[in-house]
Amino acid sequence: MRLLVTGSRGQLGLALQRAAAEAGHEFSGYDLPELDITNSAAVRGAVADARPDALINCAAYTAVDAAEADEARALAVNGAAVAGLAAAADEAGALLVQISTDFVFDGAATRPYREDDPPHPISAYGRTKLAGEHAARRAQRHLIVRTAWLFGDGANFVAAIRRQLDAGATELRVVGDQRGCPTYATDLAGAVIALLEAGTEGIVHAVNAGSASWREFAVEIVRQLGVAAEVVPISTADAARPAPRPAYSVLDASRFRGIVGADLPPWQDALARRLAAE
Ligand SMILES: NC(=O)c1ccc[n+]([C@@H]2O[C@H](COP(=O)([O-])OP(=O)(O)OC[C@H]3O[C@@H](n4cnc5c(N)ncnc54)[C@H](OP(=O)(O)O)[C@@H]3O)[C@@H](O)[C@H]2O)c1
């Protein structure tokens, strides 16, 4: 397959480049500054030149807290630009793959969210990503992959904890009352390729197996690194971040399992591979 990836130098884009090479697919990647997805004419030109089988949009305004004060910009990138990608995909006869997020849910659930549960975002970022889902659904052929709590190359929770430990921290204060699915960009990239190879369309949840609070995630990072540090739980209110976050955003990956035939590995296993890769 010929894959065109936008946001190709982000965490998922970089992992997709490796996964595509391993699976024998052709990959062309674009990121800022050479291709801004809000420039729909440039997007159309790039897609027409590459004639991809799938246009995979990994580009996003991912600064969840900054989006609260900058929702118009976040919406331009996460919502309006996706409409341009959908039009370009249709013109090229390509499948549009839009990466979305657990933050489209409000977190009030008491069991893992399924693909057909009604979204109800509580943050600006979540609202703009939901707008992106709506825009992606306008493409004749589309696949929306919702994922969560991503860690790979770049800025992410694992890197942030590691940086604090490397700086000699012996006590970390980490939110204990939000639960989600830590997910390794490498495993998500493999999941996207597997879904493409299976001809999947519609919405699919793809996350590493299991769930954790941020504190449990931090405890496991500390344990795997063999460092002596205490991880003290704090509440979401104590953390006082600008953007509200869902208290519970575990995603049900049954549809993924049904299509691909297996779950992604447990997040603890994924974390071990990530730490070994650094
Ligand atoms: N990270 C998470 O925890 C998480 C969780 C759930 C879902 N997701 C979704 O997963 C996808 C991939 O996330 P990620 O963590 O790989 O993101 P990332 O590391 O932030 O990468 C996003 C890439 O898109 C680029 N970009 C930003 N605005 C752009 C524009 N207007 N045109 C073209 N490129 C642009 C960024 O460039 P700059 O760095 O120069 O801005 C960056 O290289 C996103 O759709 C995100 O919403 C992420």
Side-chain angles (χ1 to χ4, degrees):
M1 265 185 285
R2 259 202 311 273
L3 310 179
L4 192 161
V5 174
T6 50
S8 61
R9 287 190 288 276
Q11 297 193 86
L12 179 58
L14 289 169
L16 263 173
Q17 182 159 9
R18 293 189 292 265
E22 278 167 24
H25 298 298
E26 258 178 65
F27 178 99
S28 39
Y30 294 92
D31 205 313
L32 292 173
E34 72 271 12
L35 181 67
D36 182 335
I37 61 165
T38 63
N39 180 341
S40 57
V43 165
R44 275 189 151 90
V47 175
D49 285 349
R51 306 191 56 74
D53 300 298
L55 167 56
I56 308 177
N57 180 32
C58 301
Y61 183 116
T62 54
V64 174
D65 287 315
E68 290 298 310
D70 197 13
E71 187 162 351
R73 177 68 196 153
L75 185 62
V77 179
N78 293 346
V82 182
L85 291 164
D90 281 356
E91 277 172 20
L95 172 77
L96 175 65
V97 183
Q98 169 68 7
I99 310 300
S100 194
T101 171
D102 54 335
F103 280 24
V104 298
F105 295 115
D106 61 16
T110 51
R111 52 129 180 99
Y113 283 99
R114 292 192 287 258
E115 285 81 355
D116 57 0
D117 282 325
H120 181 230
I122 56 173
S123 64
Y125 170 76
R127 287 189 291 274
T128 64
K129 291 297 289 183
L130 182 59
E133 291 193 6
H134 292 319
R137 290 165 82 147
R138 287 201 229 146
Q140 279 168 21
R141 294 173 50 231
H142 59 266
L143 168 64
I144 294 167
V145 179
R146 291 199 190 117
T147 192
W149 295 27
L150 216 50
F151 57 96
D153 297 323
N156 60 67
F157 183 77
V158 176
I161 293 292
R162 197 159 195 177
R163 200 167 44 247
Q164 290 180 62
L165 294 171
D166 288 347
T170 54
E171 183 185 293
L172 307 173
R173 292 163 56 78
V174 181
V175 169
D177 58 1
Q178 289 169 29
R179 193 159 200 88
C181 299
T183 299
Y184 186 21
T186 297
D187 290 350
L188 176 61
V192 170
I193 300 280
L195 290 167
L196 286 177
E197 289 174 345
T200 315
E201 298 188 19
I203 305 180
V204 181
H205 291 171
V207 285
N208 278 118
S211 70
S213 68
W214 290 112
R215 175 176 182 267
E216 289 165 356
F217 192 7
V219 167
E220 183 64 11
I221 297 166
V222 168
R223 189 191 72 76
Q224 290 197 14
L225 288 172
V227 187
E230 196 188 348
V231 186
V232 178
I234 61 167
S235 68
T236 299
D238 289 337
R241 305 285 292 274
R245 274 130 169 111
Y248 178 90
S249 60
V250 177
L251 298 181
D252 181 327
S254 309
R255 182 170 187 227
F256 177 82
R257 186 188 317 126
I259 294 165
V260 173
D263 282 320
L264 291 181
W267 65 265
Q268 296 90 337
D269 170 90
L271 174 64
R273 283 179 284 119
R274 172 66 207 156
L275 293 176
E278 280 178 0

